[in-house]
Every structure is written in structure tokens, then in C-alpha cells.
């Protein structure tokens, strides 16, 4: 998880350094990012997903070699967000493993299979009942990490499917008598597929999920992302998505952005700004009110 986070933030830092003319620092950081990527490929890949960690004795955690908790969600989220090994197919395999082993009708569980006995080296995470909290509960906070990974991989159908399963308005419509918490707020944890009552909400409000859900839907699913020179347009949508309009205030400008998906999950075909075509996918910044049309 931390290795993937390092690569995600490291790439952003490289871009910032280049933008402000710190070339030497950008090169230094790029070398560190490249080294971390190679380390994950060599030591953090388990064949079908990314490892979670190594314990004090150098034994793998979150590996197919483990008796229980063979896969964890955190490393899948951050390493797919970092796109580590995408060219070798690692990202696609990791996302497929999330669907196969972690996903259920109420979201993605933290680990699978659930612990059935206490493991001294793991401590607290193996002490909870199966399907609750860190023992294969659905931590809503880390589901968006995998969803962002799905968006970067262009898998709009999967991204939306994961998103809707923990979106309060959708949960209220389908499972409110089961969920049993406020229908307008995310839970820290929802009981997982191994629990006594899968789908039952726990610890509402006590989570950073709302910020992650907003970031995920606005910048990666709807695809309106602020950039240094303007706004980057890069939606990742389910094939069933209809046309939509986003009003985006950015610095001293206001943009009415209408997206025409045309059944596409990913890829921008054309953009017009105030009726004039632009090159690329970044709407150049200029103060005032503007109208943007995007065709996928």
C-alpha cells in the first residue's frame, strides 16, 4: 500500500517540480519513483494481485501462500492507482482479483478469506469476528482507491458498479432496512460477506469516505480534473451513461461542461470551448464564463 502511495504522490511531485523549474529535483524524484516501481514488481507481486506486506520474519502477508487473508484491498487500490506494472498486465489482473475475491453485493471487503483464528504476528486484524472491521469487513474508505484504479484502466462499467454499492443514495433505495444507518452518510464499515448480517452498516460518520467518494466521482468517473494550465477532461463511465452537464468553477472562471458519452467507457474524441475546437483534453484557463462540449 505505502509503496503504491509513494509512486502516486511521487509522480505528482515530479510534475510539480517540472512546472516550477526544479529540474534536478524532478530527476531525483523520478529515479526514486522508478526504483520503487521496480521493487514492487520484484518483491510486491504475487502472480494475480499485489502483496499486502511482509511480517517481522520476512514472511508474506496477503499472498496465495497464506492459509487465510490471501488478498487485501489496500495494496490493490494504491498499486493500481499508481499503475505499477500496467504494461505487463499486473493492474488488470489485480482489478480482476478484486472482483473475484473481494467484491460482494455490498462493496469490496478488506481481505479474503476472513481470519478464523488469531495470528500473533498480525495482531488486531485477526482478532475480530469474521466479516467485521479489519477482518473482512467492507471498509468504505478504501473502496474508492480500487474504483480510481478501474477508472485509470478505462473500466467504466466496473468502476460504476463498485461505486454504486457504497453510495448512500443507492444503498438506501435497495437495502435501507438492512443497512440500518442514516441514508445520507457513508459508514466506516459495512458488514462483509462472511458476517452474521452482511450489509449492515457500522460506525456511520466515523470515516474519511465522503471526501474520497467526491474526489473519485468528480475527477475520475465524471472526469473533470483541475490541472496547472486548466481543466483536464477524462471521464470513465458505464456504457449506460447518458449525457450530463457539470458546472465547474475554477479560479476566476466558470465552465458549463456537457459530456456526450455515446456508449463509450473511456476516451475523449473531441472538445469545443465556446464553440471552437481545441486540441488535446485540457481546457485552457481563462477568466469568465465558458461553455464546453465534450464528445467521447
Amino acid at each position: 500500500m505505502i509503496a503504491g502511495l509513494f509512486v502516486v504522490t511521487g509522480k505528482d511531485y515530479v510534475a510539480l517540480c517540472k512546472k516550477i523549474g526544479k529540474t534536478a529535483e524532478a530527476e531525483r524524484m523520478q529515479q526514486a519513483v522508478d526504483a520503487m516501481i521496480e521493487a514492487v514488481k520484484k518483491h510486491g507481486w504475487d502472480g494475480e494481485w499485489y502483496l499486502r506486506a511482509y511480517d517481522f520474519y520476512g514472511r508474506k502477508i496477503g499472498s496465495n501462500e497464506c492459509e487465510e487473508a490471501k488478498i487485501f484491498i489496500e495494496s490493490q487500490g494504491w498499486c493500481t492507482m499508481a499503475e505499477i506494472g500496467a504494461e505487463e498486465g499486473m493492474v488488470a489482473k489485480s482489478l480482476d482479483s478484486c472482483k473475484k475475491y473481494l467484491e460482494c453485493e455490498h462493496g469490496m471487503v478488506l481481505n479474503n478469506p476472513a481470519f478464523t483464528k488469531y495470528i500473533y504476528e498480525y495482531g488486531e486484524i485477526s482478532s475480530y469476528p469474521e466479516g467485521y472491521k479489519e477482518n473482512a469487513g467492507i471498509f468504505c474508505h478504501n473502496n474508492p482507491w480500487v474504483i480510481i484504479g478501474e477508472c485509470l484502466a478505462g473500466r467504466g462499467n466496473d468502476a460504476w458498479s463498485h461505486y454504486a454499492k457504497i453510495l448512500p443514495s443507492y444503498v438506501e433505495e435497495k437495502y435501507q432496512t438492512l443497512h440500518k444507518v442514516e441514508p445520507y452518510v457513508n459508514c466506516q464499515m459495512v458488514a462483509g460477506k462472511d458476517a452474521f448480517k452482511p450489509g449492515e452498516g457500522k460506525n456511520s460518520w466515523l470515516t474519511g469516505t465522503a471526501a474520497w467518494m467526491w474526489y473519485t466521482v468528480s475527477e475520475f468517473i465524471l472526469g473533470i480534473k483541475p490541472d496547472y494550465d486548466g481543466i483536464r477532461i477524462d471521464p470513465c463511465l458505464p456504457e449506460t451513461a447518458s449525457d450530463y452537464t457539470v458546472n465547474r468553477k475554477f479560479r476566476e472562471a466558470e465552465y458549463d461542461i456537457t459530456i456526450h458519452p455515446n456508449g463509450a467507457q473511456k476516451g475523449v474524441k473531441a472538445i469545443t470551448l465556446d464553440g471552437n475546437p481545441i486540441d488535446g483534453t485540457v481546457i485552457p484557463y481563462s477568466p469568465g464564463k465558458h461553455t464546453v462540449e465534450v464528445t467521447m
Side-chain angles (χ1 to χ4, degrees), residues 85 87 96 132 141 155 160 273:
E87 62 281 1
D96 287 344
Y132 294 97
H141 195 137
R155 298 161 48 133
W160 180 253
L273 173 62

Side-chain angles (χ1 to χ4, degrees), residues 1 15-16 18 33 36 42 47 56 70 87 105 118 122 124 131 138 141 162 166 178 183 185 198 246 248 251 288:
M1 171 187 169
L16 173 61
K18 288 180 177 178
V33 167
M36 185 64 77
K42 184 177 180 180
F56 178 81
K70 295 174 179 288
E87 62 281 1
E105 62 180 319
Y118 182 75
Y122 291 12
E124 183 183 16
I138 298 164
H141 195 137
H162 293 317
I166 60 169
L178 169 64
V185 64
V246 175
R248 183 63 159 88
R251 298 173 185 161

Side-chain angles (χ1 to χ4, degrees), residues 54-88:
Y54 288 85
D55 69 14
F56 178 81
Y57 302 101
R59 294 182 295 238
K60 295 176 181 178
I61 298 175
S63 167
N64 198 44
E65 299 173 11
C66 299
E67 182 181 351
E68 298 178 333
K70 295 174 179 288
I71 177 173
F72 285 78
I73 194 173
E74 301 98 329
S75 46
Q76 314 318 314
W78 278 103
C79 288
T80 58
M81 286 170 68
E83 300 179 286
I84 296 174
E87 62 281 1
E88 294 97 335

Side-chain angles (χ1 to χ4, degrees), residues 22 68 86 101 113 120 177 207-208 223-224 296:
K22 292 187 176 293
E68 298 178 333
Y101 299 107
Y120 180 80
T177 57
T207 177
I224 314 296
M296 294 179 67

Side-chain angles (χ1 to χ4, degrees), residues 181-182 185-189 201-207:
V181 295
E182 301 92 332
V185 64
N186 285 111
C187 292
Q188 179 208 51
M189 190 274 296
K202 306 290 182 183
N203 298 347
S204 58
W205 299 100
L206 183 64
T207 177

Side-chain angles (χ1 to χ4, degrees), residues 159-227:
W160 180 253
S161 175
H162 293 317
Y163 189 82
K165 287 179 178 180
I166 60 169
L167 185 62
S169 57
Y170 278 55
V171 171
E172 176 191 15
E173 183 179 318
K174 296 175 69 176
Y175 304 117
Q176 187 53 38
T177 57
L178 169 64
H179 206 52
K180 294 182 179 178
V181 295
E182 301 92 332
Y184 42 82
V185 64
N186 285 111
C187 292
Q188 179 208 51
M189 190 274 296
V190 175
K193 56 187 177 180
D194 303 292
F196 177 68
K197 286 188 177 179
E200 191 172 64
K202 306 290 182 183
N203 298 347
S204 58
W205 299 100
L206 183 64
T207 177
T209 305
W212 274 106
M213 290 286 278
W214 169 249
Y215 175 61
T216 300
V217 74
S218 61
E219 297 195 12
F220 294 92
I221 295 177
L222 299 179
I224 314 296
K225 187 177 180 67
D227 210 329

Side-chain angles (χ1 to χ4, degrees), residues 22-289:
K22 292 187 176 293
T23 306
E25 179 66 359
E27 291 176 353
R28 184 189 75 85
M29 190 63 206
Q30 187 62 58
Q31 291 176 2
V33 167
D34 292 343
M36 185 64 77
I37 289 172
E38 292 307 310
V40 172
K41 289 180 181 179
K42 184 177 180 180
H43 302 290
W45 180 247
D46 199 55
E48 298 294 328
W49 55 79
Y50 302 96
L51 292 170
R52 179 65 176 90
Y54 288 85
D55 69 14
F56 178 81
Y57 302 101
R59 294 182 295 238
K60 295 176 181 178
I61 298 175
S63 167
N64 198 44
E65 299 173 11
C66 299
E67 182 181 351
E68 298 178 333
K70 295 174 179 288
I71 177 173
F72 285 78
I73 194 173
E74 301 98 329
S75 46
Q76 314 318 314
W78 278 103
C79 288
T80 58
M81 286 170 68
E83 300 179 286
I84 296 174
E87 62 281 1
E88 294 97 335
M90 292 180 182
V91 167
K93 288 180 180 178
S94 168
L95 294 171
D96 287 344
S97 293
C98 288
K99 288 177 62 178
K100 183 176 180 179
Y101 299 107
L102 302 179
E103 187 181 33
C104 70
E105 62 180 319
H106 305 291
M108 286 176 281
V109 299
L110 191 143
N111 57 280
N112 186 73
F115 292 105
T116 60
K117 56 181 178 292
Y118 182 75
I119 300 176
Y120 180 80
E121 290 80 11
Y122 291 12
E124 183 183 16
I125 64 173
S126 63
S127 68
Y128 293 106
E130 297 161 47
Y132 294 97
K133 293 287 283 183
E134 281 84 355
N135 188 15
I138 298 164
F139 263 70
C140 296
H141 195 137
N142 49 43
N143 273 236
W145 305 342
V146 173
I147 297 167
I148 292 172
E150 295 278 14
C151 288
L152 293 173
R155 298 161 48 133
N157 289 337
D158 290 328
W160 180 253
S161 175
H162 293 317
Y163 189 82
K165 287 179 178 180
I166 60 169
L167 185 62
S169 57
Y170 278 55
V171 171
E172 176 191 15
E173 183 179 318
K174 296 175 69 176
Y175 304 117
Q176 187 53 38
T177 57
L178 169 64
H179 206 52
K180 294 182 179 178
V181 295
E182 301 92 332
Y184 42 82
V185 64
N186 285 111
C187 292
Q188 179 208 51
M189 190 274 296
V190 175
K193 56 187 177 180
D194 303 292
F196 177 68
K197 286 188 177 179
E200 191 172 64
K202 306 290 182 183
N203 298 347
S204 58
W205 299 100
L206 183 64
T207 177
T209 305
W212 274 106
M213 290 286 278
W214 169 249
Y215 175 61
T216 300
V217 74
S218 61
E219 297 195 12
F220 294 92
I221 295 177
L222 299 179
I224 314 296
K225 187 177 180 67
D227 210 329
Y228 292 116
D229 300 317
I231 296 179
R232 185 175 301 278
I233 308 295
D234 187 20
C236 186
L237 304 164
E239 293 173 342
T240 54
S242 304
D243 293 359
Y244 61 92
T245 299
V246 175
N247 177 263
R248 183 63 159 88
K249 294 181 180 179
F250 180 65
R251 298 173 185 161
E252 300 301 318
E254 183 175 346
Y255 299 88
D256 285 325
I257 305 167
T258 300
I259 311 287
H260 306 283
N262 297 316
Q265 293 185 63
K266 188 80 165 178
V268 171
K269 183 178 180 181
I271 299 178
T272 62
L273 173 62
D274 298 326
N276 301 308
I278 66 170
D279 294 327
T281 57
V282 176
I283 303 168
Y285 169 73
S286 62
K289 190 170 177 61

